[in-house]
């Protein structure tokens, strides 16, 4: 068959690279994961049920098996140099053997071409500094798969820390411009909730408060009067009344 160039079919030709001088982080790796996932799912495959195409190439076995509507995945093997026919085959048997050989060869070459392209994209997006421990002194990354590289990066640099959680809340509370579609605000909060669901739960109440603060600037005053008024002086008449009540109480002692 003619050579298969997987990258010609990818939705993202070049991944969002991490600057070489910066360590990978949870957020920068998340973007790379999303782009690789989308690319892997552009290349058809009937293995594993066919629903997720070649997504298995950038997931661990556990992650892939946890997806709904999947079947056991087995990497396709090369069928050999040429079709092998039985003794005294008929013309129909020869044709069928040739057809199966061609189909298996095509499936293998697509699989290998996709794996190679995904790994190449990943290695171009992340500095060798952070993947070098996986590199063989003679064969480079030839014996390492894309999902093994991703697993290494996630384990070493993808841990969420307190700063990531604070940054997530900042993104949720970032100013929303009323000239933007209201969906932008909803998505801003939902994205923060998705992150929080895995690492630091953001309740529905908290997200609702975020919506109200933007949609009703007076909300914080009405819903949180003590917080809103803690730096506001009491009206003069009310303050005088409170002082008089206190004096009366002291004089009665």
């Amino acid at each position: 068959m003619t050579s298969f160039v997987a990258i010609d079919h990818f939705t993202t030709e070049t991944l969002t690279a991490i600057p070489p001088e910066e360590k990978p982080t949870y957020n920068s790796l998340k973007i790379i994961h999303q782009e690789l996932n989308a690319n892997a799912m552009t290349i058809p495959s009937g293995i594993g049920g066919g629903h997720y195409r070649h997504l298995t190439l950038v997931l661990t076995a556990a992650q892939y098996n946890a997806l709904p509507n999947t079947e056991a995945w087995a990497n396709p093997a090369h069928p050999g140099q040429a079709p092998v026919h039985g003794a005294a085959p008929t013309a129909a048997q020869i044709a069928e053997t040739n057809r199966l050989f061609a189909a298996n060869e095509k499936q293998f070459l697509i699989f290998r071409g996709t794996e190679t392209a995904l790994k190449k994209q990943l290695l171009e997006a992340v500095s060798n500094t952070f993947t070098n421990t996986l590199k063989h002194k003679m064969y480079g990354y030839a014996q390492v798969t894309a999902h093994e590289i991703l697993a290494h990066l996630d384990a070493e640099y993808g841990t969420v820390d307190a700063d990531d959680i604070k940054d997530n809340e900042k993104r949720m509370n970032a100013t929303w411009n009323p000239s933007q579609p209201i969906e932008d605000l909803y998505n801003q909060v939902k994205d923060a909730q998705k992150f929080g669901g895995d690492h630091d739960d953001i309740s529905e109440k908290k997200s609702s408060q975020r919506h109200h603060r933007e949609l009703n600037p007076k909300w914080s005053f009405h819903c949180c009067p003590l917080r809103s008024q803690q730096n506001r002086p009491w009206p003069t008449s009310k303050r005088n009344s409170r002082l008089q009540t206190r004096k009366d109480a002291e004089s009665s002692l």
Side-chain angles (χ1 to χ4, degrees):
M1 64 171 288
T2 57
S3 60
F4 174 76
V5 183
I7 199 168
D8 290 345
H9 305 272
F10 286 170
T11 55
T12 302
E13 185 174 343
T14 304
L15 303 184
T16 302
I18 300 172
E21 68 278 6
E22 294 182 11
K23 279 188 177 183
T25 64
Y26 171 85
N27 287 315
S28 61
L29 289 173
K30 178 183 176 182
I31 294 171
I32 287 177
H33 271 289
Q34 291 171 336
E35 293 172 341
L36 286 173
N37 290 349
N39 284 347
M41 287 191 286
T42 62
I43 311 300
S45 174
I47 305 174
H51 293 285
Y52 303 99
R53 301 188 167 196
H54 281 83
L55 183 59
T56 188
L57 290 173
V58 287
L59 300 180
T60 64
Q63 289 171 329
Y64 181 80
N65 292 332
L67 294 171
N69 302 314
T70 57
E71 299 172 6
W73 175 283
N75 291 344
H78 195 283
Q81 295 298 315
V84 177
H85 301 287
T90 64
Q93 289 173 329
I94 291 174
E96 178 61 10
T97 300
N98 289 344
R99 184 192 69 79
L100 289 174
F101 178 88
N104 290 336
E105 182 183 44
K106 179 180 179 180
Q107 186 177 62
F108 173 80
L109 293 176
I110 290 175
F111 171 81
R112 291 297 299 156
T114 304
E115 160 68 21
T116 300
L118 292 169
K119 183 166 66 174
K120 182 175 183 293
Q121 283 192 313
L122 176 56
L123 292 173
E124 288 175 348
V126 181
S127 171
N128 177 69
T129 301
F130 308 110
T131 58
N132 192 58
T133 57
L134 302 176
K135 188 176 182 180
H136 191 276
K137 63 180 181 180
M138 295 294 291
Y139 312 119
Y141 295 99
Q143 298 174 308
V144 184
T145 65
H147 80 72
E148 287 172 339
I149 297 172
L150 286 169
H152 163 75
L153 291 170
D154 287 339
E156 294 295 325
Y157 308 104
T159 303
V160 172
D161 57 24
D163 288 338
D164 292 319
I165 293 172
K166 288 180 181 178
D167 288 343
N168 183 55
E169 288 219 16
K170 285 180 182 178
R171 288 192 296 273
M172 182 180 75
N173 292 316
T175 302
W176 170 74
N177 190 326
S179 64
Q180 298 173 265
I182 187 64
E183 286 79 8
D184 285 350
L185 174 60
Y186 296 152
N187 291 334
Q188 182 175 310
V189 175
K190 284 299 181 184
D191 286 345
Q193 277 192 298
K194 289 175 184 176
F195 175 93
D198 293 330
H199 308 289
D200 182 50
D201 189 43
I202 294 176
S203 67
E204 283 296 329
K205 180 178 179 181
K206 197 170 187 179
S207 66
S208 296
Q209 290 173 351
R210 171 70 182 101
H211 290 147
H212 283 297
R213 280 199 300 272
E214 289 292 350
L215 300 178
N216 183 0
K218 296 181 180 180
W219 175 84
S220 59
F221 177 81
H222 293 303
C223 294
C224 307
L226 294 178
R227 182 180 180 87
S228 301
Q229 298 184 39
Q230 60 185 355
N231 295 319
R232 295 165 62 94
W234 289 93
T236 302
S237 60
K238 192 170 185 178
R239 185 167 63 250
N240 290 342
S241 175
R242 287 167 60 86
L243 289 173
Q244 184 60 47
T245 300
R246 182 177 177 182
K247 288 179 180 179
D248 292 343
E250 290 174 347
S251 63
S252 65
L253 295 177

